[in-house]
Amino acid sequence: MKDVLILAIESSCDETSMSIVKNGKDVLSIVVNTQISTHEKFGGVVPEIASRMHTENITMVLDETLKKANVSMDDISAIAVTYGPGLMGSLLVGVEAAKTIAYVYKKPLIAVNHMAGHIYANNIENTMEFPILALVVSGGHTDLVYMEDDYKFEVLGSTLDDAIGETYDKVARVLDLKYPGGPNVEKLAAQGQPTYKLPIPMNDNSLNMSFSGLKSSIINLVHNETQRGNTINKEDLAASFQTVAIDELTRKLSLALKKVNVNQVIIAGGVSANQYLRKEVAKLLENTNIKLLVPSMIYCTDNGAMIGAAAYPLYLKKQFTTFDLNATPNAKL
């Protein structure tokens, strides 16, 4: 069979990224143009600025992606793009670019769900062996997703309020840490001990999760201690938060594993880069026959390669989309 080269575009938040992926696995090139240095001045992503920067960068990123892979548009089999979920303005830039490229070069267009991209990032360097249980953890999502086969997603449980990545970022602000908050909270936590007593979120047998109460308890604790003139040990508070938050994820994952039989557990989404989470999930699976898959660090955060990997099964099924494709900020799996 002829090799399938997919040009994949990802612009759901503040990364303008493209990649050329061969046969769903071989990453011929990957370019990630990040906006972190711009948004850190504001303590978080400013949607209007993000979409404007995508518009400025996308042509340059396309040129660099083709150059790095040493291919031309004639070699490309299809164009894939994230259509949602994400920021409306950011998504629109990627979707319109993909539609334009597909139209001009007469290539089929593939619409990819951003969260599916994070899941299929695990298939780039490893091979997903169904059935699978995916722990999807990012700035906007915290889900337990069962997959019986390719593109068969069953959401078993989700956060009822804040996502785990969003909670990390909010705790970072309380602790006066720079954006992006999640990695900085993780670094701080590694230097401390979990000495602060914090509430256990969603302490039940459901597969749903909640992090707003945990976040609020930290905000209140810091406020009250400051009012009393007491010094907060930031390292210990970060460690206390991380211990409780990750324990919530692993406890719910453990409950889910009692309900479904799987060959693999995969961690997907930006928070999959968290080393403490990786360690705790690995510990949970120690005495089982279940294999743990986690992407390399470059494929954890938003990137075009994961979209190319997720587009490949759709290409094989000829599940192409039309040119009336639009951005869908609240798209579901």
Side-chain angles (χ1 to χ4, degrees):
M1 193 176 102
K2 186 185 173 188
D3 286 333
V4 175
L5 269 64
I6 294 176
L7 170 64
I9 303 171
E10 157 59 33
S11 68
S12 63
C13 191
D14 62 335
E15 254 86 39
T16 313
S17 182
M18 290 193 198
S19 181
I20 294 171
V21 183
K22 184 169 78 174
N23 302 330
K25 279 186 166 293
D26 189 3
V27 180
L28 302 185
S29 66
I30 180 171
V31 177
V32 180
N33 187 296
T34 183
Q35 302 175 12
I36 285 177
S37 60
T38 298
H39 295 291
E40 70 180 357
K41 300 167 193 169
F42 306 99
V45 177
V46 181
E48 293 81 1
I49 294 174
S51 55
R52 196 182 311 133
M53 291 185 73
H54 283 306
T55 305
E56 292 169 0
N57 295 331
I58 201 152
T59 305
M60 177 188 68
V61 170
L62 172 62
D63 289 343
E64 192 177 342
T65 304
L66 291 166
K67 189 176 177 182
K68 275 190 172 181
N70 194 27
V71 300
S72 72
M73 286 305 303
D74 291 338
D75 303 312
I76 300 297
S77 310
I79 312 299
V81 65
T82 302
Y83 71 94
L87 300 174
M88 184 65 175
S90 293
L91 289 166
L92 273 172
V93 177
V95 167
E96 291 306 314
K99 284 158 62 171
T100 303
I101 296 166
Y103 179 79
V104 169
Y105 292 98
K106 297 179 172 55
K107 306 292 181 182
L109 182 63
I110 303 171
V112 176
N113 183 289
H114 180 72
M115 302 321 295
H118 277 303
I119 289 171
Y120 278 87
N122 284 278
N123 207 43
I124 295 172
E125 297 168 305
N126 295 288
T127 299
M128 289 161 59
E129 297 168 9
F130 302 101
I132 281 167
L133 183 60
L135 176 62
V136 182
V137 279
S138 69
H141 293 263
T142 308
D143 303 303
L144 285 162
V145 181
Y146 174 68
M147 292 181 70
E148 188 182 0
D149 207 342
D150 262 327
Y151 271 85
K152 290 191 176 177
F153 303 109
E154 182 186 352
V155 180
L156 303 179
S158 297
T159 179
L160 300 178
D161 39 63
D162 294 355
I164 183 69
E166 179 188 358
T167 308
Y168 262 89
D169 286 341
K170 286 178 178 173
V171 169
R173 286 188 195 178
V174 175
L175 297 176
D176 292 322
L177 300 176
K178 285 185 177 179
Y179 171 85
N184 289 323
V185 171
E186 184 188 358
K187 284 176 196 166
L188 200 64
Q191 301 165 36
Q193 296 297 322
T195 56
Y196 287 93
K197 187 164 178 59
L198 299 171
I200 298 171
M202 285 291 284
N203 194 12
D204 61 13
N205 290 320
S206 78
L207 297 183
N208 289 323
M209 291 157 274
S210 168
F211 296 98
S212 66
L214 177 59
K215 173 198 70 182
S216 297
S217 70
I218 290 174
I219 292 170
N220 292 335
L221 188 152
V222 171
H223 174 75
N224 292 336
E225 290 300 291
T226 304
Q227 291 291 95
R228 296 185 187 114
N230 296 332
T231 302
I232 293 285
N233 185 314
K234 291 184 178 182
E235 291 80 5
D236 287 355
L237 185 54
S240 302
F241 158 70
Q242 179 162 263
T243 301
V244 173
I246 299 302
D247 184 64
E248 165 79 341
L249 294 176
T250 54
R251 192 169 59 80
K252 296 293 182 166
L253 178 60
S254 177
L255 287 171
L257 287 170
K258 290 173 184 172
K259 296 180 184 289
V260 292
N261 293 315
V262 297
N263 292 322
Q264 295 172 336
V265 163
I266 67 176
I267 310 178
V271 184
S272 64
N274 185 291
Q275 296 300 313
Y276 183 73
L277 172 61
R278 293 177 178 219
K279 187 182 76 176
E280 291 301 301
V281 174
K283 201 185 294 181
L284 174 69
L285 301 177
E286 256 174 14
N287 298 314
T288 71
N289 294 320
I290 301 168
K291 187 178 177 184
L292 173 63
L293 296 190
V294 188
S296 290
M297 296 300 278
I298 190 172
Y299 302 127
C300 287
T301 51
D302 296 349
N303 66 90
M306 71 183 196
I307 303 305
Y312 184 65
L314 298 177
Y315 180 91
L316 295 180
K317 295 174 185 177
K318 293 190 166 29
Q319 288 186 11
F320 305 129
T321 191
T322 55
F323 288 109
D324 60 357
L325 175 69
N326 202 359
T328 309
N330 298 313
K332 307 292 182 193
L333 268 175

